[in-house]
Amino acid sequence: MTSSFAFPTPSASLGLSPLVPYGWDDAWADEFAPYDTEGLVAGRVIRVDRGQCDVATADGVIRADTAFVTPHDPMRVVCTGDWVAVEPAGNPRYVKAYLPRRTAFVRSTSSKRSEGQILAANVDHAVVAVSLAVELDLGRVERFLALAWESGAQPVVVLTKADLVPEAATLAHLVQDVETTAPGVPVLAVSSATGEGLDVLEAVLAGGTAVLLGQSGAGKSTLANALLGEDVMDVRATRDMDGKGRHTTTTRNLLVLPGGGVLIDTPGLRGVGLWDAESGVGQVFSEIEEFAADCRFQDCAHVAEPGCAVLAAVDSGELPERRLESYRKLLRENQRIVAKTDARVRAEIRRDWKRKGAEGRAAMEAKRGRW
């Protein structure tokens, strides 16, 4: 299976630039032109830690300080995958700016301030690694996919450790379960131990930037090593009873793949909070939104309203009830996050509550009048 995602390609004018393997193309060159006239150096961030970052430049990897790039705004800090303009010399050297991001993978933090945390930038594919060593958690897959779609990247679900499911029929059934959960998303069964499915995944990822996501123990580091053809990432055994492992990756690292493209490996994510991801949720549950178009009321909540096409689909068996419950849950969570950060949305929610309360009281009064 191949992706329909279109990547900008480097032109002959870029020659044999050392940055081409990192994703440099004519569009990035055009974006960087104003900084070039200032004598700044172009590069791509391959790692960030403690206010400093490693940047791949035409002259090799350099260390740079990020203090000049809005350090107190978690959505505007330099992150892995950014293209940046760096001072040509100095000790330390400073990142002066980052180029406008094509895509950004963002989740909410565990902070009570409800801030967004950017995990990776300029990503073409979001690879969601799901271990077959444990029972599939389809709700978690849907959550990752909502964030992936919202980022602007094309999601890909990779079912790792496929060698632990020896029966082909069982494996096919598991793939089908995830395909139903992930409409429009490639789902690949892969084994880093046997090499099964790796060639297909390599073909999907070639030519772009992929970020590798998943829980600890999902086999991300092992998968990264298999794609890289060498043991670059530290790997530790997972617990047999639940498939969980310790965080083997502690920072986000950008690595060039031998078959083309680059890979950003990430630490295992214990919490995957949504961050203003309403359109992403809509894409994950596209069939529900298609059913909803036939509901009698435009603002149907799909709970108990008459003429609800979504509930009718559940009753007929066309739509699994689990999918509807997961859809409601993610929408509620997203609404809470947005409401905490957007006063206008909070006001709209309050008005909606008052309107529905008034309608409910009017309906009760009407019923009493008929009794």
Side-chain angles (χ1 to χ4, degrees), residues 236-257:
R236 298 174 191 170
T238 57
R239 299 196 296 256
D240 291 337
M241 60 181 173
D242 57 10
K244 294 182 180 179
R246 295 172 61 191
H247 293 295
T248 56
T249 303
T250 57
T251 59
R252 287 170 280 281
N253 302 280
L254 186 147
L255 307 157
V256 176
L257 296 173

PDB file of all heavy atoms in Angstrom, residues 236-257:
ATOM      1  N   ARG A 236      15.161  -1.860  25.048  1.00  0.00           N
ATOM      2  CA  ARG A 236      15.104  -2.662  26.269  1.00  0.00           C
ATOM      3  C   ARG A 236      13.896  -3.563  26.215  1.00  0.00           C
ATOM      4  O   ARG A 236      12.899  -3.263  25.571  1.00  0.00           O
ATOM      5  CB  ARG A 236      15.012  -1.752  27.506  1.00  0.00           C
ATOM      6  CG  ARG A 236      16.229  -0.843  27.665  1.00  0.00           C
ATOM      7  CD  ARG A 236      16.051   0.131  28.793  1.00  0.00           C
ATOM      8  NE  ARG A 236      17.101   1.146  28.762  1.00  0.00           N
ATOM      9  CZ  ARG A 236      17.097   2.235  29.499  1.00  0.00           C
ATOM     10  NH1 ARG A 236      16.111   2.470  30.344  1.00  0.00           N
ATOM     11  NH2 ARG A 236      18.081   3.114  29.415  1.00  0.00           N
ATOM     12  N   ALA A 237      13.978  -4.679  26.920  1.00  0.00           N
ATOM     13  CA  ALA A 237      12.900  -5.665  26.869  1.00  0.00           C
ATOM     14  C   ALA A 237      11.632  -5.114  27.505  1.00  0.00           C
ATOM     15  O   ALA A 237      11.672  -4.348  28.461  1.00  0.00           O
ATOM     16  CB  ALA A 237      13.331  -6.937  27.591  1.00  0.00           C
ATOM     17  N   THR A 238      10.484  -5.550  26.981  1.00  0.00           N
ATOM     18  CA  THR A 238       9.201  -5.178  27.563  1.00  0.00           C
ATOM     19  C   THR A 238       8.747  -6.274  28.520  1.00  0.00           C
ATOM     20  O   THR A 238       9.198  -7.414  28.450  1.00  0.00           O
ATOM     21  CB  THR A 238       8.139  -5.003  26.470  1.00  0.00           C
ATOM     22  OG1 THR A 238       8.034  -6.209  25.723  1.00  0.00           O
ATOM     23  CG2 THR A 238       8.529  -3.875  25.524  1.00  0.00           C
ATOM     24  N   ARG A 239       7.816  -5.911  29.407  1.00  0.00           N
ATOM     25  CA  ARG A 239       7.285  -6.889  30.349  1.00  0.00           C
ATOM     26  C   ARG A 239       6.327  -7.824  29.610  1.00  0.00           C
ATOM     27  O   ARG A 239       5.459  -7.380  28.852  1.00  0.00           O
ATOM     28  CB  ARG A 239       6.549  -6.182  31.484  1.00  0.00           C
ATOM     29  CG  ARG A 239       7.423  -5.253  32.296  1.00  0.00           C
ATOM     30  CD  ARG A 239       6.744  -4.900  33.616  1.00  0.00           C
ATOM     31  NE  ARG A 239       5.516  -4.161  33.413  1.00  0.00           N
ATOM     32  CZ  ARG A 239       5.391  -2.849  33.612  1.00  0.00           C
ATOM     33  NH1 ARG A 239       6.425  -2.130  33.977  1.00  0.00           N
ATOM     34  NH2 ARG A 239       4.233  -2.251  33.448  1.00  0.00           N
ATOM     35  N   ASP A 240       6.481  -9.113  29.839  1.00  0.00           N
ATOM     36  CA  ASP A 240       5.641 -10.088  29.144  1.00  0.00           C
ATOM     37  C   ASP A 240       4.168  -9.938  29.486  1.00  0.00           C
ATOM     38  O   ASP A 240       3.303 -10.160  28.658  1.00  0.00           O
ATOM     39  CB  ASP A 240       6.096 -11.518  29.500  1.00  0.00           C
ATOM     40  CG  ASP A 240       7.458 -11.842  28.914  1.00  0.00           C
ATOM     41  OD1 ASP A 240       7.835 -11.188  27.917  1.00  0.00           O
ATOM     42  OD2 ASP A 240       8.129 -12.730  29.455  1.00  0.00           O
ATOM     43  N   MET A 241       3.850  -9.540  30.713  1.00  0.00           N
ATOM     44  CA  MET A 241       2.456  -9.565  31.151  1.00  0.00           C
ATOM     45  C   MET A 241       1.607  -8.462  30.526  1.00  0.00           C
ATOM     46  O   MET A 241       0.416  -8.641  30.312  1.00  0.00           O
ATOM     47  CB  MET A 241       2.379  -9.478  32.680  1.00  0.00           C
ATOM     48  CG  MET A 241       3.008  -8.213  33.259  1.00  0.00           C
ATOM     49  SD  MET A 241       2.905  -8.213  35.062  1.00  0.00           S
ATOM     50  CE  MET A 241       3.874  -6.752  35.451  1.00  0.00           C
ATOM     51  N   ASP A 242       2.226  -7.315  30.210  1.00  0.00           N
ATOM     52  CA  ASP A 242       1.401  -6.238  29.671  1.00  0.00           C
ATOM     53  C   ASP A 242       2.023  -5.528  28.477  1.00  0.00           C
ATOM     54  O   ASP A 242       1.440  -4.599  27.932  1.00  0.00           O
ATOM     55  CB  ASP A 242       1.080  -5.200  30.748  1.00  0.00           C
ATOM     56  CG  ASP A 242       2.327  -4.609  31.390  1.00  0.00           C
ATOM     57  OD1 ASP A 242       3.438  -4.858  30.875  1.00  0.00           O
ATOM     58  OD2 ASP A 242       2.186  -3.890  32.392  1.00  0.00           O
ATOM     59  N   GLY A 243       3.185  -5.989  28.046  1.00  0.00           N
ATOM     60  CA  GLY A 243       3.805  -5.410  26.869  1.00  0.00           C
ATOM     61  C   GLY A 243       4.402  -4.038  27.077  1.00  0.00           C
ATOM     62  O   GLY A 243       4.833  -3.397  26.124  1.00  0.00           O
ATOM     63  N   LYS A 244       4.419  -3.540  28.314  1.00  0.00           N
ATOM     64  CA  LYS A 244       4.925  -2.197  28.561  1.00  0.00           C
ATOM     65  C   LYS A 244       6.432  -2.231  28.795  1.00  0.00           C
ATOM     66  O   LYS A 244       6.979  -3.205  29.288  1.00  0.00           O
ATOM     67  CB  LYS A 244       4.230  -1.572  29.775  1.00  0.00           C
ATOM     68  CG  LYS A 244       2.745  -1.324  29.533  1.00  0.00           C
ATOM     69  CD  LYS A 244       2.118  -0.656  30.744  1.00  0.00           C
ATOM     70  CE  LYS A 244       0.630  -0.405  30.495  1.00  0.00           C
ATOM     71  NZ  LYS A 244      -0.026   0.227  31.665  1.00  0.00           N
ATOM     72  N   GLY A 245       7.073  -1.169  28.446  1.00  0.00           N
ATOM     73  CA  GLY A 245       8.518  -1.075  28.642  1.00  0.00           C
ATOM     74  C   GLY A 245       8.902   0.279  29.192  1.00  0.00           C
ATOM     75  O   GLY A 245       8.105   1.198  29.250  1.00  0.00           O
ATOM     76  N   ARG A 246      10.148   0.411  29.577  1.00  0.00           N
ATOM     77  CA  ARG A 246      10.654   1.700  30.034  1.00  0.00           C
ATOM     78  C   ARG A 246      10.921   2.577  28.827  1.00  0.00           C
ATOM     79  O   ARG A 246      11.089   2.106  27.711  1.00  0.00           O
ATOM     80  CB  ARG A 246      11.950   1.485  30.824  1.00  0.00           C
ATOM     81  CG  ARG A 246      11.744   0.703  32.107  1.00  0.00           C
ATOM     82  CD  ARG A 246      13.068   0.348  32.729  1.00  0.00           C
ATOM     83  NE  ARG A 246      13.832   1.548  33.069  1.00  0.00           N
ATOM     84  CZ  ARG A 246      15.114   1.515  33.427  1.00  0.00           C
ATOM     85  NH1 ARG A 246      15.757   0.370  33.486  1.00  0.00           N
ATOM     86  NH2 ARG A 246      15.741   2.644  33.731  1.00  0.00           N
ATOM     87  N   HIS A 247      10.980   3.897  29.047  1.00  0.00           N
ATOM     88  CA  HIS A 247      11.264   4.816  27.953  1.00  0.00           C
ATOM     89  C   HIS A 247      12.699   4.600  27.486  1.00  0.00           C
ATOM     90  O   HIS A 247      13.647   4.909  28.193  1.00  0.00           O
ATOM     91  CB  HIS A 247      11.090   6.267  28.410  1.00  0.00           C
ATOM     92  CG  HIS A 247       9.676   6.620  28.718  1.00  0.00           C
ATOM     93  ND1 HIS A 247       8.696   6.627  27.757  1.00  0.00           N
ATOM     94  CD2 HIS A 247       9.070   6.975  29.863  1.00  0.00           C
ATOM     95  CE1 HIS A 247       7.545   6.987  28.304  1.00  0.00           C
ATOM     96  NE2 HIS A 247       7.756   7.200  29.581  1.00  0.00           N
ATOM     97  N   THR A 248      12.877   4.064  26.274  1.00  0.00           N
ATOM     98  CA  THR A 248      14.219   3.884  25.742  1.00  0.00           C
ATOM     99  C   THR A 248      14.658   5.110  24.964  1.00  0.00           C
ATOM    100  O   THR A 248      15.841   5.332  24.774  1.00  0.00           O
ATOM    101  CB  THR A 248      14.272   2.642  24.830  1.00  0.00           C
ATOM    102  OG1 THR A 248      13.282   2.791  23.789  1.00  0.00           O
ATOM    103  CG2 THR A 248      13.962   1.393  25.615  1.00  0.00           C
ATOM    104  N   THR A 249      13.713   5.914  24.501  1.00  0.00           N
ATOM    105  CA  THR A 249      14.028   7.178  23.845  1.00  0.00           C
ATOM    106  C   THR A 249      13.606   8.291  24.784  1.00  0.00           C
ATOM    107  O   THR A 249      12.459   8.347  25.194  1.00  0.00           O
ATOM    108  CB  THR A 249      13.267   7.301  22.508  1.00  0.00           C
ATOM    109  OG1 THR A 249      13.591   6.189  21.679  1.00  0.00           O
ATOM    110  CG2 THR A 249      13.638   8.580  21.791  1.00  0.00           C
ATOM    111  N   THR A 250      14.528   9.188  25.119  1.00  0.00           N
ATOM    112  CA  THR A 250      14.216  10.253  26.074  1.00  0.00           C
ATOM    113  C   THR A 250      14.101  11.619  25.414  1.00  0.00           C
ATOM    114  O   THR A 250      13.636  12.559  26.031  1.00  0.00           O
ATOM    115  CB  THR A 250      15.293  10.313  27.173  1.00  0.00           C
ATOM    116  OG1 THR A 250      16.567  10.497  26.555  1.00  0.00           O
ATOM    117  CG2 THR A 250      15.309   9.029  27.990  1.00  0.00           C
ATOM    118  N   THR A 251      14.559  11.727  24.177  1.00  0.00           N
ATOM    119  CA  THR A 251      14.405  12.978  23.430  1.00  0.00           C
ATOM    120  C   THR A 251      13.931  12.638  22.021  1.00  0.00           C
ATOM    121  O   THR A 251      13.950  11.481  21.605  1.00  0.00           O
ATOM    122  CB  THR A 251      15.737  13.748  23.330  1.00  0.00           C
ATOM    123  OG1 THR A 251      16.706  12.918  22.677  1.00  0.00           O
ATOM    124  CG2 THR A 251      16.251  14.148  24.699  1.00  0.00           C
ATOM    125  N   ARG A 252      13.504  13.673  21.294  1.00  0.00           N
ATOM    126  CA  ARG A 252      13.094  13.468  19.909  1.00  0.00           C
ATOM    127  C   ARG A 252      14.312  13.640  19.010  1.00  0.00           C
ATOM    128  O   ARG A 252      14.962  14.678  19.016  1.00  0.00           O
ATOM    129  CB  ARG A 252      11.968  14.446  19.556  1.00  0.00           C
ATOM    130  CG  ARG A 252      10.661  14.052  20.221  1.00  0.00           C
ATOM    131  CD  ARG A 252       9.602  15.129  20.091  1.00  0.00           C
ATOM    132  NE  ARG A 252       9.788  16.211  21.061  1.00  0.00           N
ATOM    133  CZ  ARG A 252       9.419  16.119  22.340  1.00  0.00           C
ATOM    134  NH1 ARG A 252       8.868  15.009  22.790  1.00  0.00           N
ATOM    135  NH2 ARG A 252       9.605  17.135  23.156  1.00  0.00           N
ATOM    136  N   ASN A 253      14.602  12.607  18.216  1.00  0.00           N
ATOM    137  CA  ASN A 253      15.793  12.602  17.375  1.00  0.00           C
ATOM    138  C   ASN A 253      15.387  12.466  15.909  1.00  0.00           C
ATOM    139  O   ASN A 253      14.557  11.618  15.560  1.00  0.00           O
ATOM    140  CB  ASN A 253      16.699  11.421  17.745  1.00  0.00           C
ATOM    141  CG  ASN A 253      17.115  11.453  19.208  1.00  0.00           C
ATOM    142  OD1 ASN A 253      18.017  12.165  19.589  1.00  0.00           O
ATOM    143  ND2 ASN A 253      16.425  10.671  20.032  1.00  0.00           N
ATOM    144  N   LEU A 254      15.991  13.284  15.047  1.00  0.00           N
ATOM    145  CA  LEU A 254      15.737  13.214  13.613  1.00  0.00           C
ATOM    146  C   LEU A 254      16.878  12.448  12.953  1.00  0.00           C
ATOM    147  O   LEU A 254      18.050  12.810  13.115  1.00  0.00           O
ATOM    148  CB  LEU A 254      15.597  14.623  13.036  1.00  0.00           C
ATOM    149  CG  LEU A 254      15.185  14.732  11.567  1.00  0.00           C
ATOM    150  CD1 LEU A 254      14.332  15.983  11.338  1.00  0.00           C
ATOM    151  CD2 LEU A 254      16.430  14.798  10.653  1.00  0.00           C
ATOM    152  N   LEU A 255      16.527  11.413  12.215  1.00  0.00           N
ATOM    153  CA  LEU A 255      17.524  10.508  11.643  1.00  0.00           C
ATOM    154  C   LEU A 255      17.253  10.319  10.151  1.00  0.00           C
ATOM    155  O   LEU A 255      16.102  10.147   9.735  1.00  0.00           O
ATOM    156  CB  LEU A 255      17.465   9.148  12.349  1.00  0.00           C
ATOM    157  CG  LEU A 255      17.556   9.194  13.886  1.00  0.00           C
ATOM    158  CD1 LEU A 255      16.949   7.948  14.498  1.00  0.00           C
ATOM    159  CD2 LEU A 255      19.005   9.345  14.319  1.00  0.00           C
ATOM    160  N   VAL A 256      18.307  10.344   9.339  1.00  0.00           N
ATOM    161  CA  VAL A 256      18.169  10.147   7.895  1.00  0.00           C
ATOM    162  C   VAL A 256      18.054   8.659   7.597  1.00  0.00           C
ATOM    163  O   VAL A 256      18.867   7.854   8.061  1.00  0.00           O
ATOM    164  CB  VAL A 256      19.375  10.748   7.144  1.00  0.00           C
ATOM    165  CG1 VAL A 256      19.273  10.463   5.653  1.00  0.00           C
ATOM    166  CG2 VAL A 256      19.451  12.248   7.392  1.00  0.00           C
ATOM    167  N   LEU A 257      17.016   8.275   6.826  1.00  0.00           N
ATOM    168  CA  LEU A 257      16.806   6.872   6.474  1.00  0.00           C
ATOM    169  C   LEU A 257      17.636   6.510   5.241  1.00  0.00           C
ATOM    170  O   LEU A 257      17.719   7.305   4.298  1.00  0.00           O
ATOM    171  CB  LEU A 257      15.326   6.611   6.190  1.00  0.00           C
ATOM    172  CG  LEU A 257      14.370   6.803   7.371  1.00  0.00           C
ATOM    173  CD1 LEU A 257      12.920   6.693   6.910  1.00  0.00           C
ATOM    174  CD2 LEU A 257      14.661   5.778   8.463  1.00  0.00           C
TER     175      LEU A 257
END
